[in-house]
Amino acid sequence: MKKTSTRLADGRELIYYDLKDDSLRDAVDRRPLERTVTTSEVRRDPLLGDSVAIASHRQGRTYHPPADECPLCPSQGDRLSEIPDSSYDVVVFENRFPSLAGDSGRCEVVCFTSDHNASFGDLTEEQARLVLDAWTDRTSELSHLPSVEQVFCFENRGAEIGVTLGHPHGQIYAYPFTTPRTALMLRQLAAHKDATGGENLFDAVLERELADERVILEGEHWVAFVPYAAHWPYEVHLYPKRRVPDLLGLDEEARTEFPKVYLELLRRFDRIFDGPGGGKDGAGEPPTPYIAAWHQAPFGQLEEFDGVNRDDFALHLELFTIRRTSGKLKFLAGSESGMNVFINDVPPERAAERLREVASS
């Protein structure tokens, strides 16, 4: 992997990650951009104890541009984009309309490929490995910023999720706090450790899932399963079998196997709704919308979680879709949005069975 860092016309950082060491990246951003002005602010909710990012400048962000005006495609001739060069393998740059900025953290965009019509599942194993290396590098770099406590790499795919740019890409949020979902995990981790005299909760969950009927894929170093209490209609958790706190902790064997397992998982997601009334064999339903979210241990202090340290946390990826069946979405209504109590219409065992059925030939 070759890494080249440069600056866009408004001062934002852009980084090329290339498969070939002889790639030359000297293209200049020719757009007449002024310095980005953000109004990001983090406010703490005194009743719930969580944090809310207030970012009014995002109202003016790019919204569903036509394909020939996509800001994530390479620049070509007089058509200038966020990427100055005419081609790229993987690119990461500071978001022009960040939810978090300055002392409130940082937001970055990760472009997985220059092919506008592709998706992550279309990548080769070599390309997917490059994305993994980029995620790892950004996690390392962002963790050293004074304002950053947790790094979150994720992908939103599909208009149903709220994606406003069709180009295959993801994002990285570097939070100045430990996120509420991670805090919940850490509290459960601490309580379990105390109640069992030191047993690790992640290890116990993984051991139980490996012995159950909801395993989807299993390699030498990774395992994917539908969790016992899945919140979403089709939800899969992907764990390295050797517990590590973050992407930096993965060894070379796990990094090498990851692309094969993850690409197969994404491709199965695109086949869930194939058949009468949807998918490739039916009425032409769009590709499965999903969110893919990496959960990593915070880099800040964990004193509030008694007896827990970073190494107790288990890196894992959670992949889920909001589509519950062909043509129907799972909406977060009163119970979910009002009380955070999820109601799942698809039994996890049936979801796991379906994801095994759609294995590639």
Side-chain angles (χ1 to χ4, degrees):
M1 178 188 79
K2 181 181 180 182
K3 176 183 175 183
T4 307
S5 180
T6 185
R7 291 281 171 180
L8 296 173
D10 56 6
R12 289 175 293 132
E13 185 178 18
L14 180 143
I15 306 160
Y16 294 97
Y17 292 90
D18 285 296
L19 292 167
K20 297 181 179 180
D21 290 338
D22 59 355
S23 298
L24 179 62
R25 300 298 184 183
D26 57 2
V28 176
D29 185 3
R30 294 180 284 127
R31 296 173 298 171
L33 297 180
E34 296 182 357
R35 287 270 173 176
T36 300
V37 178
T38 62
T39 56
S40 180
E41 175 189 1
V42 174
R43 298 183 182 181
R44 191 155 181 85
D45 185 321
L47 294 180
L48 298 179
D50 59 9
S51 299
V52 178
I54 310 297
S56 59
H57 64 278
R58 285 174 52 80
Q59 286 282 39
R61 66 187 185 274
T62 308
Y63 187 80
H64 292 300
D68 61 356
E69 296 179 16
C70 175
L72 306 185
C73 288
S75 293
Q76 298 287 343
D78 293 330
R79 198 194 73 75
L80 306 178
S81 72
E82 289 280 68
I83 296 89
D85 217 325
S86 59
S87 67
Y88 64 85
D89 292 332
V90 173
V91 166
V92 177
F93 60 88
E94 288 184 75
N95 198 322
R96 191 177 178 188
F97 304 96
S99 302
L100 306 165
D103 293 339
S104 298
R106 176 159 158 151
C107 292
E108 298 182 340
V109 177
V110 184
C111 298
F112 304 138
T113 171
S114 60
D115 185 352
H116 181 85
N117 297 313
S119 67
F120 200 119
D122 295 324
L123 301 182
T124 65
E125 290 185 20
E126 185 181 34
Q127 290 173 309
R129 169 61 190 266
L130 183 61
V131 176
L132 175 64
D133 290 342
W135 281 331
T136 305
D137 181 70
R138 296 316 301 153
T139 296
S140 176
E141 292 292 327
L142 292 170
S143 71
H144 290 97
L145 296 180
S147 63
V148 172
E149 189 166 312
Q150 186 173 358
V151 179
F152 176 45
C153 307
F154 64 100
E155 179 192 1
N156 298 330
R157 204 275 286 267
E160 300 95 327
I161 297 293
V163 175
T164 58
L165 296 176
H167 196 101
H169 72 288
Q171 299 182 65
I172 302 175
Y173 276 22
Y175 297 102
F177 50 79
T178 297
T179 63
R181 188 174 178 88
T182 303
L184 282 173
M185 293 184 194
L186 290 168
R187 283 195 285 271
Q188 289 296 101
L189 187 62
H192 185 85
K193 190 173 186 179
D194 181 64
T196 61
E199 182 182 67
N200 184 278
L201 178 59
F202 285 107
D203 291 350
V205 167
L206 188 56
E207 182 180 359
R208 184 172 67 242
E209 293 290 359
L210 278 167
D212 218 314
E213 60 182 310
R214 292 178 301 277
V215 172
I216 306 303
L217 288 167
E218 184 176 359
E220 184 178 352
H221 304 283
W222 294 87
V223 60
F225 57 87
V226 177
Y228 172 74
H231 289 58
W232 298 93
Y234 290 91
E235 175 182 340
V236 177
H237 293 189
L238 178 62
Y239 276 72
K241 290 184 177 180
R242 182 179 69 87
R243 172 165 44 90
V244 295
D246 51 42
L247 290 166
L248 302 172
L250 293 174
D251 58 24
E252 182 57 31
E253 289 78 10
R255 292 180 182 280
T256 299
E257 186 180 76
F258 170 78
K260 181 178 180 179
V261 175
Y262 187 49
L263 289 172
E264 172 61 18
L265 189 56
L266 291 180
R267 290 161 187 170
R268 290 192 191 193
F269 253 60
D270 269 346
R271 293 192 290 268
I272 294 174
F273 305 105
D274 282 0
K280 290 177 288 186
D281 299 326
E285 188 161 354
T288 303
Y290 65 73
I291 292 174
W294 281 108
H295 291 262
Q296 305 192 80
F299 289 94
Q301 300 299 314
L302 301 179
E303 286 92 346
E304 63 180 292
F305 308 104
D306 294 338
V308 170
N309 57 55
R310 291 194 79 250
D311 289 336
D312 291 324
F313 195 87
L315 167 77
H316 64 284
L317 182 140
E318 297 184 9
L319 172 69
F320 62 90
T321 179
I322 62 171
R323 188 179 292 165
R324 57 188 174 89
T325 189
S326 294
K328 297 179 181 179
L329 300 180
K330 164 64 179 177
F331 292 102
L332 300 190
S335 185
E336 292 89 353
S337 295
M339 283 291 145
N340 201 27
V341 177
F342 275 68
I343 300 168
N344 191 351
D345 302 320
V346 180
E349 292 72 22
R350 174 53 191 151
E353 181 183 4
R354 177 59 181 156
L355 283 162
R356 287 193 295 267
E357 288 175 352
V358 297
S360 61
S361 58

